Amino acid sequence: MRALLLGAIPALRAFAFSLTRDLDRSDDLVQDTLVRAWIKADSFTPGTNLYAWLFTILRNLFYSEQRKRRREVEDADGVMAGRLAALPDQEARVELSAFQAALSTLPANQREALVLVGAQNFTYEEAAEICGVAVGTIKSRVSRARGRLIELLGMTGPDDIGSDGATLAAMTLAATGHS
């Protein structure tokens, strides 16, 4: 179990960061997930999808934490963070920054569905199980998220995507709808 949990860390970190958009918070969330999974290892059914189980734990912890943090001041529009960040000077960074900004404007349920299906390569069925909704709901959320990203980024098709690998990987998710 230890080796399986350790092997899941990169995927958990990516998913946690997509939810929190904060490296420290996402690392804490992953750590809490791993501790919870270790403690509850006897409740995992061998032969089932370990990643789906871990992602469900992480997601539940995140939303529990969100409910507790409601009294904190949010920086939803990024004004405070924008004052702290240096403007990127390379085209790829600008495009990636634009993508991240557009992604952060999506409703949480659409962003979550898009990340699970598009970036984490979960099937629609697995993503639906993780989120506790119907498969059709996940498909709808992913479709709306992709459409909204294309609109926000002023894209008309794949030809609008930059040429570097990071930008292609991130933006192809929005432009092509491949999962």
Side-chain angles (χ1 to χ4, degrees):
M1 180 61 115
R2 182 178 189 268
L4 294 172
L5 292 177
L6 290 175
I9 290 175
L12 289 171
R13 289 187 78 207
F15 184 51
F17 185 76
S18 77
L19 294 174
T20 65
R21 295 182 300 275
D22 178 282
L23 284 175
D24 292 332
R25 265 183 77 200
S26 62
D27 283 344
D28 290 344
L29 189 56
V30 169
Q31 182 177 351
D32 291 344
T33 300
L34 293 172
V35 168
R36 176 87 41 101
W38 186 258
I39 292 169
K40 300 286 186 178
D42 59 326
S43 69
F44 175 70
T45 306
T48 61
N49 188 334
L50 175 71
Y51 277 44
W53 183 66
L54 291 170
F55 274 60
T56 302
I57 293 171
L58 188 144
R59 181 181 180 273
N60 290 342
L61 286 171
F62 170 73
Y63 285 114
S64 293
E65 180 183 295
Q66 286 298 98
R67 284 189 292 276
K68 291 176 186 175
R69 290 179 176 246
R70 286 205 177 148
R71 289 183 232 155
E72 291 184 16
V73 176
E74 290 187 28
D75 187 22
D77 57 0
V79 172
M80 291 173 63
R83 289 186 205 145
L84 301 174
L87 295 175
D89 55 356
Q90 296 174 357
E91 183 179 339
R93 285 182 153 179
V94 172
E95 289 175 354
L96 187 56
S97 178
F99 175 78
Q100 289 171 331
L103 186 65
S104 72
T105 66
L106 295 177
N109 61 1
Q110 288 180 15
R111 185 176 58 249
E112 176 182 63
L114 186 63
V115 168
L116 286 172
V117 172
Q120 293 295 330
N121 293 319
F122 280 104
T123 65
Y124 287 114
E125 292 77 13
E126 291 168 333
E129 184 180 331
I130 290 168
C131 294
V133 298
V135 173
T137 301
I138 288 294
K139 288 180 178 181
S140 177
R141 288 176 182 176
V142 169
S143 177
R144 285 192 306 255
R146 287 176 175 145
R148 184 67 180 137
L149 284 177
I150 289 169
E151 178 185 318
L152 288 169
L153 296 170
M155 298 171 68
T156 57
D159 294 337
D160 292 343
I161 299 172
S163 59
D164 86 329
T167 303
L168 282 172
M171 307 266 301
T172 299
L173 175 68
T176 64
H178 290 293
S179 50

